[in-house]
Amino acid sequence: MKHELVIVLDFGGQYNQLIARRVREHKIYCEVKSYKTPIEEIRALNPRGIIFTGGPNSVYLDNSPRMSKEIFELGVPILGICYGAQFMVYGLGGTIGKANDSAAAEFGRTDCEFDTNSLLFKGLREKSVVWMSHNDYIETLPKGFRAIGHSAKCPFGAIEDPERKFYGTQFHPEVNHTEQGFDMLGNFLYNVCGCRGDWTMEEFAENATREIREKIGSGKALLALSGGVDSSVACKLMAKAVGSQLTCIFVDTGLMRKNEGDEVEAAFADSGVNFVRVNAGERFLGKLRGVTEPERKRKIIGEEFIRVFEEEAKKIGKVDYLVQGTIYPDVIESGAGDAAVIKSHHNVGGLPDYVDFKEIIEPLRLLFKDEVRALGTTLGLDEKLVWRQPFPGPGLAIRIIGEITPEKVAILQDADAIFREEIANAKLDREISQYFAVLTDMRSVGVMGDGRTYDYTLALRGVSTSDFMTADFSRIPYDVLEKVSVRVVNEVGNINRVVYDITSKPPATIEWE
Ligand code: XMP
């Protein structure tokens, strides 16, 4: 079935994915496309509306991202945000002032007034706080436009050409700091574009199930199940669609968190699919013996994982389809450039070279993480797996600093379980983006009972982040940290000191290795 579609045209802004998520929160399907997308492609997609994102450039720079002016002749409503608004004004014959010409630059919280006669602000308060972040500013408007919002410094804080259904905001309605931003986007989508809102996970599940069945027919599919949210939801969806035609291979590396292997097994063993659990803990630990260098650990685990998977897949024979839990943020074609590789991330999805199959199926490739979770809930997946925080492919191997031994794995599993339990008791488990314990290789002196101890230091890490590219350390209350510390030192052997990591990313990374 064809959904209503809104296109977010990415001009290299930092909030492009956030805009797309907001649109989807309004139950409207949305795709992010690069500003380089040919106009014919956009026309063929037949969007209900287009949103131009912000971007780091000035419209006057030679290399600033530009789109063919034909975009304004499609007859499709457009909302330009920040650079997007400036690009629209510039493209339609208005002028943009350079910030160094004046003191018009604005950053951060700004009071703004709106004309609530405009469809964009219909039903909203006339005054509220918005989030500005711009150097350049709209100086004169193109024909047909008028101001519908202003701040003390910015006479054209929001503009409209209602005839052509073009709207622009100098501020960012997509960020939480803009008080009525979510409703403004809703007004654009529903009042201006005339959307109805047909994007729900129930409908997605129905359609996806039907499409998967049509595609697979009587063929066989194979899925590498890591127990992470994405592969678990993909498995559940495939199970609903094709049941026993699917085989899931779950490689238990022995480096998972406490009881995690059993939880994954419990969630899938009776789900109608062929479920294969490979207990490869000893094999992985054998390969890792004596290894201390983080990148080496990652490589060894990545390679071994593929080997185990390949051996199991061979036993099954030829399969027609390999299922991967790729999600939308992985596939977005962005206007922005390449990033440096800081760590070689091992993702258990990356297996295609080694398995004999005809085609790859990625049933979640249109979904954002929160939608994947919602789909998991719709499909009845165990809440523990739905709300599982991200867990790196190499598992506890990169949370044990230095050499990995079975004893250290057990120590860390126990300590980490206590940390997670106390975070859940404090009802912080859905608030903190990721939290875990790290077993350092540092030992220090302590005193327990009347005796001297010389034991390991455990580090706790908790971060809040929306994209895991940058992160801030979580302000976990001291009394929660204290409970964890007391319990860890009392209940887990070989730890006599607990510290909390208060570095953000950058300069640190989230994981310690
Ligand atoms: P860093 O440590 O790079 O982590 O700040 C960012 C996010 O990625 C996760 N992570 C991984 N995920 N395979 C994965 O699938 C990996 O090798 C890997 N290493 C780190 C990390 O847990 C955090 O969420």
Side-chain angles (χ1 to χ4, degrees):
M1 198 199 85
K2 204 95 184 93
H3 289 281
E4 302 175 315
L5 166 72
V6 166
I7 291 178
V8 170
L9 209 56
D10 179 14
F11 285 103
Q14 50 180 327
Y15 300 128
N16 53 23
Q17 291 204 25
L18 187 59
I19 301 171
R21 280 182 47 190
R22 292 282 178 267
V23 174
R24 290 188 183 195
E25 283 166 22
H26 277 293
K27 299 195 176 6
I28 293 154
Y29 178 58
C30 169
E31 286 189 20
V32 180
K33 295 274 174 200
S34 162
Y35 70 92
K36 294 174 189 151
T37 311
I39 199 83
E40 300 76 45
E41 198 179 309
I42 292 182
R43 197 195 317 268
L45 287 167
N46 191 23
R48 286 299 186 99
I50 298 174
I51 300 179
F52 292 173
T53 74
N57 290 309
S58 162
V59 289
Y60 291 114
L61 289 179
D62 285 341
N63 59 352
S64 67
R66 299 211 181 127
M67 179 88 208
S68 153
K69 287 189 187 165
E70 288 171 73
I71 190 89
F72 299 116
E73 287 148 27
L74 294 176
V76 177
I78 298 176
L79 170 65
I81 296 175
C82 198
Y83 174 88
Q86 295 170 7
F87 172 75
M88 182 159 72
V89 165
Y90 179 69
L92 292 170
T95 58
I96 303 303
K98 293 204 182 80
N100 49 5
D101 293 348
S102 75
E106 287 175 301
F107 294 95
R109 295 168 60 87
T110 309
D111 290 312
C112 210
E113 281 185 41
F114 312 106
D115 179 348
T116 53
N117 292 315
S118 164
L119 283 183
L120 194 64
F121 301 129
K122 201 173 149 194
L124 305 187
R125 297 193 309 278
E126 283 179 0
K127 287 184 189 177
S128 62
V129 169
V130 301
W131 188 258
M132 293 279 193
S133 180
H134 65 100
N135 278 304
D136 290 0
Y137 59 96
I138 297 168
E139 193 175 49
T140 58
L141 294 180
K143 250 175 93 179
F145 276 83
R146 69 181 189 107
I148 51 170
H150 66 270
S151 66
K153 271 191 186 176
C154 184
F156 301 123
I159 55 172
E160 72 170 4
D161 175 346
E163 200 75 12
R164 288 185 283 183
K165 301 192 177 175
F166 292 160
Y167 291 78
T169 62
Q170 192 54 80
F171 56 87
H172 289 271
E174 70 276 21
V175 304
N176 282 332
H177 309 283
T178 294
E179 279 174 6
Q180 308 187 87
F182 187 71
D183 296 331
M184 293 172 191
L185 287 172
N187 277 349
F188 175 70
L189 298 164
Y190 285 91
N191 296 347
V192 178
C193 302
C195 292
R196 295 183 318 276
D198 61 4
W199 178 248
T200 64
M201 282 308 111
E202 287 76 15
E203 229 182 285
F204 177 86
E206 283 306 309
N207 292 333
T209 308
R210 198 174 45 243
E211 282 164 19
I212 292 166
R213 278 190 195 135
E214 277 166 17
K215 176 149 206 167
I216 292 196
S218 57
K220 281 202 280 183
L222 182 68
L223 178 142
L225 181 68
S226 70
V229 185
D230 303 341
S231 67
S232 297
V233 174
C235 183
K236 203 79 183 168
L237 183 61
M238 292 297 297
K240 180 172 180 265
V242 294
S244 63
Q245 286 164 259
L246 175 73
T247 302
C248 296
I249 299 177
F250 166 52
V251 180
D252 187 342
T253 58
L255 296 163
M256 300 187 75
R257 288 167 293 196
K258 195 171 182 177
N259 301 329
E260 218 159 30
D262 295 342
E263 280 167 18
V264 174
E265 183 167 351
F268 293 101
D270 300 325
S271 63
V273 303
N274 302 304
F275 179 84
V276 181
R277 174 175 178 175
V278 190
N279 289 315
E282 278 183 27
R283 186 169 166 170
F284 277 87
L285 283 180
K287 291 276 172 189
L288 289 164
R289 193 167 299 132
V291 179
T292 56
E293 210 276 311
E295 279 298 289
R296 194 76 212 104
K297 287 182 185 173
R298 284 171 175 275
K299 291 249 153 54
I300 289 172
I301 294 168
E303 278 167 27
E304 202 55 22
F305 192 94
I306 289 170
R307 220 154 279 151
V308 174
F309 185 82
E310 188 187 16
E311 285 168 21
E312 293 302 317
K314 273 205 185 110
K315 290 183 196 161
I316 296 163
K318 184 161 172 52
V319 292
D320 307 283
Y321 299 94
L322 184 73
V323 185
Q324 295 197 319
T326 319
I327 69 169
Y328 194 52
D330 306 330
V331 300
I332 285 187
E333 28 164 331
S334 168
D338 295 342
V341 174
I342 308 293
K343 300 176 187 180
S344 55
H345 277 203
H346 152 64
N347 199 326
V348 292
L351 303 163
D353 292 355
Y354 300 84
V355 185
D356 191 12
F357 65 96
K358 207 166 69 186
E359 210 180 312
I360 294 181
I361 298 190
E362 298 173 313
L364 311 179
R365 64 178 286 116
L366 298 180
L367 305 185
F368 282 108
K369 195 75 166 190
D370 44 349
E371 293 173 319
V372 173
R373 289 208 161 102
L375 177 63
T377 304
T378 301
L379 294 168
L381 184 67
D382 182 349
E383 282 286 292
K384 261 205 181 125
L385 290 176
V386 168
W387 287 100
R388 193 174 185 242
Q389 9 161 2
F391 187 61
L396 299 183
I398 55 166
R399 294 179 181 172
I400 294 171
I401 311 302
E403 188 179 358
I404 300 156
T405 63
E407 294 75 31
K408 285 187 181 176
V409 172
I411 293 172
L412 181 55
Q413 281 177 332
D414 286 342
D416 184 72
I418 290 173
F419 186 31
R420 285 192 289 145
E421 211 174 290
E422 290 303 333
I423 290 290
N425 286 343
K427 303 214 173 348
L428 294 171
D429 48 341
R430 292 196 189 174
E431 211 167 278
I432 306 176
S433 313
Q434 196 174 5
Y435 52 96
F436 53 87
V438 174
L439 186 62
T440 74
D441 59 351
M442 199 197 77
R443 293 202 287 170
S444 68
V445 175
V447 52
M448 274 178 102
D450 288 325
R452 175 186 192 271
T453 58
Y454 186 58
D455 273 326
Y456 288 111
T457 298
L458 185 83
L460 304 176
R461 181 90 164 125
V463 295
S464 62
T465 171
S466 56
D467 58 7
F468 296 88
M469 304 293 286
T470 61
D472 196 7
F473 74 87
S474 299
R475 272 55 171 178
I476 298 175
Y478 278 161
D479 54 345
V480 177
L481 290 172
E482 183 189 14
K483 260 189 217 146
V484 179
S485 165
V486 170
R487 279 193 61 194
V488 164
V489 174
N490 281 290
E491 295 173 33
V492 184
N494 301 101
I495 295 174
N496 67 355
R497 197 177 288 272
V498 178
V499 297
Y500 186 56
D501 181 349
I502 55 164
T503 21
S504 54
K505 171 186 179 176
T509 53
I510 296 175
E511 304 287 347
W512 275 38
E513 286 197 336

